[in-house]
Structures are given as C-alpha cells and as structure tokens.
C-alpha cells in the first residue's frame, strides 16, 4: 500500500502525528501538498478533496489520508486505522481502545496549546489577541500542563512491564504522539519544560527512547521533518512564558 | 451486558452523547454518579476511578464507561466501542471510520462551544472572562457555526440514500450526536439558530427525525434527561449573542 497524506505543507501541525507513524514503520507514502504543483501536488491538491462536491465523504479539515479507495479524516481516526497495519497498536480490542483513548487525550491537550496563542479566534492574527493570549497561557502553564503531564507520567508508572512505553510492552503510535507533544512543549515553553527531567522523569525517558529509534532519528535529521515555526500549533513566543 | 456510565451528575455535557446512544438502544445502564451515595453512587464513585492508583488504565476525565472488565474513556472512544453493539454503527470498517470521523468533528465543535463562555480558562468563572467571551462568541457565531453546519448539511446532501441520516441508510450514533449539538446550539444561541430551517434544512429535518424516535422522545420527556443549564457546555447567556 502506498499511502497519500494530505496536510498543510509548511507546518508540522496535526499532520506530524501521522508522519511519525508512517516514518517509524518505513511505510511508503507521499506527503501530497509538499509535492510540486506541476506534479499534481501543492495546496490545490489538498483543497480539492475538501471542496469538490464530487468527492465522497469529504473531510472537514486536514490531515486526511488516502489509503486505496478510503479517504480518512481526523488525526486520531487516521492513526486508529493505521495502527495495526503499521504494527503500532495492539491487536486486541481493549488495547486498541486504550491507545485511542490516550491519543484523544493528547488531541485535547493540543487544542489547548493552540489556544494559548489564539484564545479568541483562529481567523485573527496572534498580534490581535495578545493580551488574551498572555492571560490564557499563564493559566495553561500553571494548571493544565501539569495536569496532563502528571496523567501521562502516571500512565507510564502504572505500566511497569512496558519498559518506558505507554501501552503494553511495545511501541505504539501513542508513544510517538507523546514524543511529538513533548518536543512541541519544549519548543514553545522552554522555561516550563526545563523542569521536565525532575518532574516527569518517565516522560523524559520516553522522549529519549523515541528520539533514539533509528527510523525516527533518520527522519528527524532529514528534510522531511519541517522545523517548528510560528505558523504551527507549537509556537515560541517568549513573551507568553514570562 | 449492564453498562455503567460515569459522568458529572448535574449536567448533560459530554456524557449526554453516550446517554442518547444507550437510550435509543434501550440498553441496560446505570448513570452511576446520579445514584445516591449511600447506594455506592455520587461524585465519590466518579472520582474513585480517576484517582485511585490501584485502578488500571485510569481515564483523564469523564465520561467513562464500564463494560464488564473494560474501562473506556473519551466520548468518541466510548461510542466507537458501543456503536456496533447497540446497532448504531455500520458493520464494515470504512463505515465505522466515517462515523468516528463525524463524531470527532462534532467533538471539535463542542470544544469551541465551551470556549465561547470560557475562552481564558475552565478554572475561572465566566464572570471573570466576560469581555473575552463576548469577543470569542461574536466570531464563533459569524464564522465557525456556519462552517461546521454547512459541512454537516453537505454530508446529508451527499448521502441521498440516507433518508436524512448522516451515514448510509440507517440511524447511527453520529445522527444522535448531531441532534444533541443542534439542541445545544438552539438553547445557547436561539437568535442565530432561528435561521436554521432556511439555512440548514437537512439538519432541521434530522433534528426532527431523531426527536420523533420513540425511545428518544420517551427519554427526553423523562427525568433522566437533565435540562440544559448554565453549568454545562451549552449555556444561554443572552449578552453573548447580542
């Protein structure tokens, strides 16, 4: 199977959770919107599937994945589909539901990260909602980051067989997504995350475990990995962390 | 199977999406936190499963469902599990993924609804974030409500075999969740939603179709249906819609 991933070409965003799974599994895939327009790629190819009324089961927003005749939207849904196929999810139903549950909780955290810099509206510039962003970020860092990271640290602590994995004793896409969220938080909020090794030692170890996997390390060092930037979900605005 | 639903006892909230599925299917279930404390219910029973470190695979937040030995968190995950068992989802993988995708898009909308009255922090009172709430709501009603409802209206339009259903030609939990979101929007933003019959006629028909189903009608008329109120996700603050 050759997968087609559709996501905004200039940011990691939600597409990155799918990219990490595909890269870890060395799956064959095309990142369609990063292919030149003259070769059928670019943003027009992305928009086509969302906007053309002839397309069945159109998605609401990127990312989406084409897998043969299937067109699948919503990050957690894409990963639920890919998980067993890429050997990044347990085979049993209980295990698959638990991985999905962790992924959905990470998705909730991600919305809160986005809203630190866009608390009023996605359609406004950050500069036009800066006072609100400062207020929201202060509480997010004081209350929400510890609540979420304590939860995931607890998931690791209660899975002693897992050798540092969130679920059972093998790597799942939830580990890859957890890695991505930690990397993003470290980029956006370096002061807060400087305390990570002391406060969340198991998450720190998970981050290192994932980064050291050969396929992930090769991907992170490649041009396929888009750097974090201030158009994405995780943005480094130093004034928000002060 | 006798299911146990765990959710905050005083609001519809996210638990309502699970309740509607259980009620439509006439499944046997207990709404645990609404059972008196002396009978083992109430909020302590709810908190126990989130906080007791002896509980395996603890959820991050309500709702969660106990189904035999399974403990399942995250609304969309619970419904994914219940769907085929309650005959509220297609049997094939493509159909299940599509229903899940619609449910996740409704969940995204729900977060945005919540943040109209809590744009800065869930831990602050509405009264302490009112200017921000007004600013956020204005844009939400002008841009986001039409974007989402146009999307779902389009899903109905592109499913002509469905006789008013979102997916294939039978009722799914996505239809029930769509109904709940429409009811909530009508409660919270009556002026905006007064235009619904003209702007979104297919969604209007879906709402009526679901409300007329005997099991749903009986549930809505019962004491098991908690009324909308200003502690829930959908809140009617007239000053926000002005």
């Amino acid at each position: 199977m050759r997968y087609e991933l559709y996501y905004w070409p200039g940011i990691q965003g939600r597409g990155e959770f799918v990219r990490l799974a595909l890269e870890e599994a060395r799956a064959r895939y095309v990142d369609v919107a990063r292919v030149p327009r003259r070769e059928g790629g670019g943003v027009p190819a992305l928009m086509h599937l969302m906007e053309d009324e002839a397309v069945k089961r159109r998605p609401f927003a990127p990312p989406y994945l084409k897998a043969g005749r299937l067109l699948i939207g919503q990050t957690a849904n894409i990963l639920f589909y890919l998980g067993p196929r890429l050997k990044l999810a347990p085979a049993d139903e209980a295990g698959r539901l638990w991985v999905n549950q962790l992924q959905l909780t990470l998705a909730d955290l991600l919305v809160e990260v986005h809203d630190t810099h866009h608390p009023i509206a996605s359609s406004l510039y950050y500069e036009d909602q800066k006072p609100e962003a400062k207020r929201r970020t202060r509480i997010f860092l004081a209350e929400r980051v510890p609540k979420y990271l304590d939860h995931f640290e607890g998931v690791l602590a209660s899975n002693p067989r897992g050798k540092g994995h969130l679920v059972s004793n093998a790597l799942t896409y939830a580990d890859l997504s957890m890695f991505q969220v930690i990397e993003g938080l470290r980029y956006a909020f370096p002061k807060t995350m400087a305390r990570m090794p002391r406060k969340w030692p198991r998450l720190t170890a998970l981050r290192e475990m994932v980064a050291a996997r050969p396929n992930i390390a090769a991907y992170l060092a490649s041009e396929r990995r888009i750097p974090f930037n201030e158009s994405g979900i995780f943005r480094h605005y130093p004034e928000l962390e002060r």
Side-chain angles (χ1 to χ4, degrees), chain A:
Chain A
M1 173 76 79
R2 176 172 159 282
Y3 297 106
E4 291 180 10
L5 172 64
Y6 291 80
Y7 195 66
W8 304 111
I11 60 171
Q12 292 182 10
R14 288 181 170 79
E16 196 65 13
F17 298 94
V18 184
R19 287 192 194 106
L20 284 169
L22 293 166
E23 292 281 346
E24 167 60 28
R26 287 185 153 265
R28 286 178 62 208
Y29 78 101
V30 188
D31 203 337
V32 178
R34 298 179 72 192
V35 170
R37 289 184 186 211
R38 63 179 182 279
E39 295 171 26
V43 170
L46 179 76
M47 301 309 286
H48 163 72
L49 290 177
M50 264 196 303
E51 295 181 348
D52 185 343
E53 294 195 0
V55 175
K56 285 205 164 183
R57 297 186 168 177
R58 288 193 302 284
F60 181 73
Y64 26 95
L65 185 82
K66 254 187 145 171
R69 292 177 57 191
L70 273 181
L71 175 61
I72 310 168
Q74 285 282 356
T75 312
N77 199 38
I78 296 169
L79 289 169
F80 189 87
Y81 168 83
L82 286 176
R85 288 167 173 85
L86 303 183
K87 304 202 189 322
L88 289 171
D92 64 301
E93 184 185 32
R96 289 191 73 188
L97 290 168
W98 177 232
V99 174
N100 188 42
Q101 183 173 328
L102 296 172
Q103 186 68 39
L104 290 170
T105 303
L106 287 170
D108 288 344
L109 169 52
L110 206 67
V111 172
E112 297 192 33
V113 170
H114 172 271
D115 284 6
T116 58
H117 48 78
H118 278 75
I120 300 301
S122 296
S123 61
L124 295 176
Y125 289 113
Y126 162 63
E127 285 70 20
D128 294 328
Q129 47 195 318
K130 227 164 154 173
E132 296 94 337
K134 283 186 182 173
R135 205 176 164 209
R136 176 147 186 160
T137 303
R138 194 167 57 239
I139 301 173
F140 171 75
L141 294 177
E143 297 174 6
R144 303 300 288 170
V145 167
K147 189 174 164 76
Y148 277 105
L149 296 191
D150 286 353
H151 171 72
F152 289 109
E153 184 80 7
V155 171
L156 288 168
S158 65
N159 184 30
R161 288 194 314 131
K163 299 175 194 162
H165 304 112
L166 286 166
V167 181
S168 72
N169 56 359
L171 187 83
T172 64
Y173 64 79
D175 294 317
L176 300 176
S177 297
M178 188 78 241
F179 163 81
Q180 174 64 11
V181 166
I182 293 170
E183 288 303 89
L185 289 173
R186 291 173 72 219
Y187 173 80
F189 307 111
K191 289 182 189 174
T192 304
M193 295 303 283
R195 291 171 294 160
M196 184 170 82
R198 189 172 44 78
K199 285 198 70 173
W200 302 295
R202 290 181 179 86
L203 288 173
T204 304
L206 179 147
R207 191 218 144 262
E208 286 163 14
M209 179 269 288
V210 171
R213 292 186 70 90
N215 294 349
I216 296 295
Y219 167 63
L220 297 177
S222 76
E223 288 198 349
R224 300 191 301 285
R225 172 78 162 185
I226 301 164
F228 285 109
N229 61 48
E230 279 54 58
S231 304
I233 296 172
F234 295 101
R235 303 189 184 187
H236 182 50
Y237 293 130
E239 64 271 22
L240 292 184
E241 208 186 9
R242 220 164 270 150

